[in-house]
Amino acid sequence: MESPKIALVTGANRGLGFEIAKQLCAKGHTVLFACRSLEKAAHAIEFLKQLAHLAIPLELDVSCPHSIERAIKDVEKLVPHVDVLVNNAGILPYSDRENQSILTESVDLIRSALDTNTFGPYLLCKALIPKMVEQEFGRVVNVSSKMGSLTDMTEGNWPAYRLSKTALNSITRMLAAEVTHPNVRINAVHPGWVKTDMGGQKAPKTAQSSAKGVVWACELPQNGPTGRFFFDTDEIPW
């Protein structure tokens, strides 16, 4: 991306999402801080200090289709267009840390993971990608996980999370195959095990280091890679 763009980052009030949004602001981009409440978004923006003028709070609960519909209408009032979509918001649901199995996992827990980690990003893509094609520019980054990679699907722990990320990876591939405009790039990024509320304090990577790979995918040039899966800037198998 040669000039500053307008980005929408979900789950931007804390952890990896906040760091992604912050780094985009630091590069001069205007960022919609999409959070479950305007209060959380406004509170996060306060920490940007001198970059706060580049941030716009947006209420959005990605697990709720009605919230997504309202947010899209709000976006149309707040900014002229969205150039970059980062589907970062996600949950890591579990019913029993010690005895996890796809054979015993709760269907309700799987639905919960799919609502947030898969259907939310899908609905945002459906709403925003056609407009990106019309404006002849767009970057979509789905924050996924190697735990959703079929290549690495060798154990059954975290089954709800794994299923939701595998489905998100499939959506990424299908969207990229269908959207062939050379200046609309759609990819997935595995941020690694990150020291956040979700990842816990034992995680080896900081949000700051993990966000760099996502921001890199946000700024791909025309005819850059699309329909790929990355860890940092290295391609990894689906």
Side-chain angles (χ1 to χ4, degrees), residues 31-42:
V31 180
L32 291 154
F33 275 60
C35 309
R36 287 188 175 183
S37 72
L38 288 176
E39 291 77 16
K40 289 182 178 180

Side-chain angles (χ1 to χ4, degrees), residues 99-114:
N99 300 294
Q100 297 180 51
S101 168
I102 188 63
L103 293 172
T104 59
E105 189 63 280
S106 160
V107 172
D108 287 339
L109 200 71
I110 293 172
R111 285 198 184 100
S112 175
L114 289 169

